[in-house]
Amino acid sequence: MFPGVDGFHWTVQHVVFLSLFFCVLATIGATVIVAWVRAARQQNPESVRWHSEFEDLPARDRKCRQVLRGDMKARTCPNGFDCGQCHEFRPAADKAMGSTYGLVYPENRLYHRGHTWVEPQADGTALVGLDDFARRVMGVPESVELPAVGTRLTRNGAAWKVRQGGTVVRILAPLDGEVVAVGDAGSEWVLRVKAEKLETTHLLRGAEVSGWLRDELERLQILLTPAGATPTLADGGVLVEDLHRALPEANWDAVLSELTLQA
């Protein structure tokens, strides 16, 4: 059936067969090359881990940001919250943030769904800290493990670790970049990061933050229901300070892991 083989003759059937054979071979080769390129782009173990964990998140935790701000009724994110790679994503109009349910969320900051914030600085760096929701839920941690200056952060990989009640929680990095400074005990920010290109398309802002916080408060109530959710909200519906201490009987390993997107 192939040229060079004894008995081979050029016929219409042979031409059709060889054409189909080499088309299939080319398709397989192209698929292998594309897969190799994608793997090379995601060779960072943190990226591989995040995409694996993202696929394991329940649909309610993968709600598209356009749903959070009220532009769509329902849509689940398929892209690991990487809005820059999404053909369906449309940037938000300038809508006010709206209610933050008694929590402190300055409008000059951008918010990652793992409960960190990013505040771009005039010198090209960005400050990164733990948001008010996570701060109130976790309380004062038993210990904090910060990266060394010079450490390269990968978006959605580990930025720093917090130990609370025997549970070690990975706080996810909200952006790619190099750690150029770490905050002290009195700093609101935890890390100062320098990125070659400050990419913030995936971070929440404006009306998206209000919709996300509403969902997060509801999710927190669900997570705490088996342990009793009565102390969760203080008078006026504001999340209490140091919820971890207020509900010591809760399954904090599960609660903290889920709220920080650890599937």
Side-chain angles (χ1 to χ4, degrees):
M1 296 293 289
F2 294 95
V5 177
D6 290 341
F8 176 84
H9 299 285
W10 285 105
T11 64
V12 173
Q13 291 83 355
H14 284 155
V15 171
V16 171
F17 168 78
L18 291 173
S19 298
L20 292 174
F21 175 81
F22 286 110
C23 282
V24 171
L25 195 63
T27 300
I28 294 173
T31 302
V32 170
I33 292 172
V34 169
W36 181 83
V37 170
R38 287 179 177 174
R41 288 178 178 174
Q42 295 186 355
Q43 61 184 343
N44 189 304
E46 294 281 22
S47 295
V48 174
R49 178 174 182 173
W50 163 248
H51 284 282
S52 175
E53 291 190 341
F54 177 81
E55 293 299 327
D56 291 335
L57 292 175
R60 70 174 185 273
D61 299 339
R62 293 186 284 119
K63 190 176 293 185
C64 174
R65 63 194 295 179
Q66 295 175 115
V67 176
L68 296 177
R69 67 180 184 236
D71 291 349
M72 299 177 70
K73 289 186 177 180
R75 184 173 185 269
T76 300
C77 175
N79 297 313
F81 301 138
D82 188 356
C83 303
Q85 301 298 319
C86 179
H87 298 298
E88 299 292 330
F89 175 67
R90 298 293 180 271
D94 291 331
K95 295 183 180 179
M97 184 176 288
S99 174
T100 56
Y101 307 94
L103 301 172
V104 180
Y105 278 76
E107 293 203 36
N108 64 320
R109 292 175 177 171
L110 308 172
Y111 297 93
H112 185 271
R113 299 198 206 203
H115 288 288
T116 52
W117 52 261
V118 173
E119 185 177 316
Q121 302 296 292
D123 63 0
T125 64
L127 300 181
V128 176
L130 196 65
D131 74 2
D132 198 35
F133 180 98
R135 184 189 63 79
R136 291 178 184 238
V137 171
M138 291 185 186
V140 179
E142 296 169 358
S143 64
V144 178
E145 182 182 331
L146 298 178
V149 171
T151 299
R152 296 288 303 180
L153 299 183
T154 300
R155 184 201 308 177
N156 300 315
W160 69 91
K161 295 180 181 179
V162 173
R163 177 180 290 275
Q164 183 63 290
T167 299
V168 177
V169 181
R170 294 164 61 244
I171 306 300
L172 301 186
L175 72 172
D176 297 314
E178 179 182 342
V179 177
V180 294
V182 296
D184 56 35
S187 301
E188 187 179 6
W189 58 275
V190 178
L191 304 176
R192 183 184 290 270
V193 178
K194 176 68 174 178
E196 293 181 5
K197 179 182 179 183
L198 189 58
E199 175 56 58
T200 62
T201 309
H202 60 292
L203 299 175
L204 303 177
R205 66 207 72 198
E208 299 165 350
V209 176
S210 298
W212 169 61
L213 286 176
R214 180 194 62 239
D215 286 357
E216 290 296 272
L217 287 166
E218 292 176 357
R219 185 157 71 112
L220 178 62
Q221 291 280 15
I222 293 171
L223 289 169
L224 292 175
T225 295
T230 304
T232 302
L233 299 179
D235 292 342
V238 178
L239 188 64
V240 300
E241 293 279 350
D242 204 343
L243 183 60
H244 187 277
R245 179 174 294 182
L247 284 175
E249 71 277 14
N251 182 1
W252 285 108
D253 183 56
V255 173
L256 295 179
S257 293
E258 287 203 34
L259 289 176
T260 52
L261 301 181
Q262 318 296 313

